[in-house]
Amino acid sequence: MSTAVDIAGPSSPDQAHSSAKIPNEPLRPSLKRSSHPYSLSHYISSPSPAVDVKGLIQPSPAQQRAAQPGHTKPRRAPSWPDMWESPSGLHLAHAAELLMRAGLLALTPTTAEQTSLGAQSSQPDSSGCSTDFQPFLGAWFPFNPALFPLAGFQMGGGHWRSAAMGAEGMEGLVAEGYSPSSLGGNSGGRRKRKRCGECVPCRRQTNCEQCSSCRNRKRGHQICKYRKCEELKRKPGGPGFESRVSGFDLRGSDFTLALAQERSNTALDG
DNA sequence: GAGAACGTAATC
DNA sequence: GATTACGTTCTC
């Protein structure tokens, strides 16, 4: 079992079976083929000396039970979906907090970051929207750009930019999930979007095997409902489509609530 | 409108 | 060629 931090949740033999074709990474190989030289584990493998990240970022007890041998069915605890797999994104908040505690996420940008990000993220995009996560975490939250290329994307002026593609003019379309090949225009009109790789469902590594999509995979040809990319759920050009990137669908949601709760717990612990 | 079924693009 | 999964159509 890998000791690398598993952002998307638990893994177990049965889950390995249930997602036989799902790699450890939550992303499809095409996204995995980023030009970025490091994996997530690379950034997490050198935790700050004061905090044991592996100890902090662990599956829930229910997941630990599920990961134990002998479980033949991914039967979940009554609390399912738990924090790690909650479609609401709570686990993202938790992970962010944990990373911050571990010093893996800076609360304030370094000078270099400010400089580089000032040239990228802080620039308003065409819609006048700048990328800033401060409202969501109560502090400047850089969403360390080094992490984004893991999915082949990186932040850029409020749009996702394909790091692998590097086609500036395509970033808007890439943000909408269109693959470069699908943008060729000679594919007969059928354009398949790709998973963003960054939303909560995309980060899930395992199929629930219980939703209708999982149960009916042969006929349905659909990905697990809990792994269905939030971006792909939206229709291109549909309402709210333009805000999907900067907001991560967490604006005003239980994301900040979870953070507040976590901080409250921390204060109590401390 | 939601979910199921199907066609098929994309990938391995 | 097999598999996965997005997009569309159909059914309720």
Side-chain angles (χ1 to χ4, degrees), chain A residues 18 27 56 90 94 97 113 162 173 208 222 248 254 263:
Chain A
S18 67
L27 311 174
L56 286 171
L90 280 173
H94 193 73
E97 178 72 6
E113 283 171 335
S162 169
L173 290 170
C208 72
Q222 288 293 315
F248 273 105
D254 43 19
R263 283 180 172 166

Side-chain angles (χ1 to χ4, degrees), chain A residues 97 101 256-270:
Chain A
E97 178 72 6
R101 282 197 217 172
T256 49
L257 192 64
L259 182 66
Q261 184 178 7
E262 181 66 22
R263 283 180 172 166
S264 174
N265 293 340
T266 303
L268 290 175
D269 292 342

Side-chain angles (χ1 to χ4, degrees), chain A residues 89 136 211:
Chain A
F136 315 121
C211 70

Side-chain angles (χ1 to χ4, degrees), chain A residues 103-123:
Chain A
L104 294 175
L105 285 175
L107 285 176
T108 54
T110 64
T111 304
E113 283 171 335
Q114 282 178 320
T115 301
S116 62
L117 290 174
Q120 292 188 5
S121 302
S122 295
Q123 283 183 346

Side-chain angles (χ1 to χ4, degrees), chain A residues 180-216:
Chain A
S181 59
S182 71
L183 291 167
N186 56 355
S187 57
R190 178 70 70 89
R191 293 177 177 178
K192 270 193 171 182
R193 292 177 295 164
K194 288 187 176 182
R195 309 171 71 192
C196 71
E198 290 297 331
C199 65
V200 173
C202 281
R203 284 173 173 266
R204 280 197 61 155
Q205 294 183 333
T206 58
N207 297 325
C208 72
E209 295 298 331
Q210 299 191 8
C211 70
S212 58
S213 295
C214 286
R215 292 195 306 256
N216 197 25

Side-chain angles (χ1 to χ4, degrees), chain A residues 77-140:
Chain A
S79 60
W80 185 88
D82 58 32
M83 187 186 75
W84 282 92
E85 300 193 338
S86 167
S88 71
L90 280 173
H91 78 287
L92 178 59
H94 193 73
E97 178 72 6
L98 292 173
L99 286 169
M100 282 191 289
R101 282 197 217 172
L104 294 175
L105 285 175
L107 285 176
T108 54
T110 64
T111 304
E113 283 171 335
Q114 282 178 320
T115 301
S116 62
L117 290 174
Q120 292 188 5
S121 302
S122 295
Q123 283 183 346
D125 63 7
S126 56
S127 61
C129 174
S130 64
T131 303
D132 188 347
F133 294 97
Q134 181 170 5
F136 315 121
L137 288 175
W140 196 90

Side-chain angles (χ1 to χ4, degrees), chain A residues 10-84:
Chain A
S11 60
S12 63
D14 59 285
Q15 285 172 330
H17 159 74
S18 67
S19 56
K21 295 283 286 187
I22 303 172
N24 284 337
E25 297 83 358
L27 311 174
R28 61 176 56 201
S30 59
L31 291 176
K32 208 168 49 173
R33 264 188 255 119
S34 163
S35 60
H36 202 277
Y38 302 125
S39 65
L40 175 60
S41 57
H42 170 85
Y43 295 101
I44 305 179
S45 62
S46 55
S48 62
V51 183
D52 181 359
V53 179
K54 291 171 188 173
L56 286 171
I57 306 177
Q58 279 191 340
S60 66
Q63 290 172 324
Q64 289 177 328
R65 282 194 300 272
Q68 290 175 358
H71 283 266
T72 55
K73 269 292 235 182
R75 276 268 177 245
R76 305 193 65 89
S79 60
W80 185 88
D82 58 32
M83 187 186 75
W84 282 92

